[in-house]
Amino acid sequence: MAASTAAARGARAPARPAGHRWHRLDRTVSPYLYLSPFFLVFGVFGLFPMLYTGYVSFTAWRADRPGSEGQWVGFENYRKLLDDPFFWNAVKNTLGIGVLATVPQLLLALGLAHLLNYRMRGRTLMRLGVLLPNVTSVAAVTLIFVQLFGRDFGMVNWFLSLFGVDHIDWQAGTLSSWSAIAAIVTWRWTGYNALLYLAAMQSVPFELYEAAALDGASRWRQFRSITIPMLRPTILFTVIVSTIGALQLFGEPMLFSQQQDPTTGGSQHQFQTLALYSYNQFWGRFKYGYGAAISWAMFLLIVLVAVVNFLAARRMRGAE
């Protein structure tokens, strides 16, 4: 009886056409197929080099020692890093330049975005104009800034001399070289961050500003009490991205150097960043294993800074 009932139900159930199954398969599989080129390219040019560099960092591979590429030394390269004064000098330089470049950059971008958000003539042209430094070649920008920060005939020293300041050898000092490199980074990335802030500002409901204006709030008060709180997620994003970029700083300090070996970051290594030091060990001294360890130390430092930023942001939300 049960068998006959099941058979009857089977007989009543309409058979699904093959086109319906293909349609379901297409909806399920197609998104993965569309995304697969990115992950394939990332796996070949991103993930594999990173993992291979991690493997090399555990070896004593040097170009001047044939057969050393397979010599496993465990954490020896990382232990050497802890006793390497040049490594800690590079960490200090990277963090110092990063702070000097990131903080003014984001503050300027915030103010610039606020100005660009006003209704004015030619604002589209102005919005595009702030992006020009970012699309300019880093080599061209750095070479121009090297001339501006020249010791004898630089325009910056000429301007400071109007206020009685003696000529500064920007490349010789630690703080002066940090400031000059930070100025290059700030020039390149302020407009980019300003456009990010501007896009976020335009999503803020205009009714909030109207209500604040009716209550007598000034423009500055509206900026502090409405704009800044509404932009907090975007500000956090730009802080993290700018911090990561600052920790990976390579082109600006390398082109800023006037030494025969630009990877040393000045005659006293006063602006040698972690990326420059890693490059110096890789291609200047051909210590592949040690250079790979520096690269992974830089990666771990970036992860640490990103986690600290994330925890700080979550704590701020909790406090609210």
Side-chain angles (χ1 to χ4, degrees):
M1 182 64 183
S4 62
T5 303
R9 288 176 180 170
R12 286 196 299 268
R16 292 183 176 178
H20 179 75
R21 291 195 297 271
W22 278 111
H23 178 68
R24 288 190 59 184
L25 184 65
D26 177 58
R27 291 187 59 182
T28 306
V29 177
S30 292
Y32 298 100
L33 292 179
Y34 295 146
L35 288 173
S36 60
F38 166 77
F39 285 105
L40 286 174
V41 174
F42 173 74
V44 173
F45 296 102
L47 187 61
F48 172 73
M50 188 174 71
L51 296 178
Y52 185 69
T53 304
Y55 162 74
V56 172
S57 71
F58 291 105
T59 68
W61 189 5
R62 295 182 53 153
D64 55 353
R65 291 180 184 172
S68 61
E69 60 268 24
Q71 187 178 350
W72 187 262
V73 294
F75 287 93
E76 180 62 19
N77 287 325
Y78 293 95
R79 191 199 62 75
K80 287 181 180 177
L81 280 182
L82 299 178
D83 299 328
D84 185 353
F86 293 106
F87 170 73
W88 292 112
N89 175 68
V91 172
K92 182 188 69 174
N93 292 337
T94 303
L95 295 178
I97 296 172
V99 171
L100 287 179
T102 303
V103 176
Q105 174 192 142
L106 296 183
L107 292 177
L108 286 172
L110 201 56
L112 191 58
H114 183 64
L115 294 176
L116 289 173
N117 202 27
Y118 279 97
R119 293 179 180 176
M120 61 178 82
R121 291 183 179 179
R123 60 179 178 178
T124 303
L125 188 62
M126 293 182 184
R127 291 172 181 176
L128 291 175
V130 299
L131 200 59
L132 285 179
N134 186 247
V135 300
T136 310
S137 164
V138 61
V141 172
T142 306
L143 291 177
I144 290 173
F145 270 82
V146 168
Q147 300 301 318
L148 292 177
F149 283 101
R151 184 189 61 182
D152 298 322
F153 304 104
M155 188 175 289
V156 177
N157 275 341
W158 168 79
F159 178 76
L160 292 177
S161 68
L162 299 178
F163 302 94
V165 179
D166 292 334
H167 281 201
I168 300 173
D169 191 347
W170 293 94
Q171 295 186 2
T174 300
L175 185 59
S176 59
S177 59
W178 289 3
S179 303
I181 295 171
I184 303 172
V185 178
T186 301
W187 168 259
R188 287 201 68 222
W189 292 101
T190 297
Y192 173 81
N193 288 310
L195 289 186
L196 291 179
Y197 290 146
L198 178 64
M201 283 180 186
Q202 292 182 339
S203 66
V204 178
F206 189 69
E207 292 77 12
L208 294 177
Y209 293 106
E210 287 183 329
L214 289 175
D215 291 339
S218 63
R219 290 277 190 180
W220 172 244
R221 181 61 186 273
Q222 293 176 25
F223 181 71
R224 282 194 302 121
S225 302
I226 299 176
T227 306
I228 297 295
M230 297 296 284
L231 261 62
R232 192 161 292 165
T234 307
I235 292 173
L236 174 64
F237 171 76
T238 54
V239 167
I240 293 176
V241 172
S242 300
T243 304
I244 292 173
L247 293 175
Q248 295 175 328
L249 205 58
F250 177 77
E252 288 86 349
M254 184 168 182
L255 294 170
F256 185 72
S257 177
Q258 297 293 305
Q259 302 297 314
Q260 187 174 6
D261 181 3
T263 62
T264 59
S267 57
Q268 302 297 322
H269 305 269
Q270 60 269 27
F271 53 91
Q272 186 181 46
T273 60
L274 276 171
L276 270 185
Y277 188 46
S278 175
Y279 187 90
N280 174 268
Q281 295 298 308
F282 258 111
W283 304 116
R285 302 181 184 280
F286 301 106
K287 297 178 180 178
Y288 300 148
Y290 196 61
I294 298 170
S295 298
W296 264 85
M298 186 169 68
F299 170 73
L300 294 176
L301 181 62
I302 291 173
V303 171
L304 176 65
V305 171
V307 169
V308 169
N309 280 331
F310 173 76
L311 294 176
R314 194 171 67 172
R315 188 169 182 177
M316 289 170 61
R317 289 198 196 101
E320 291 174 356

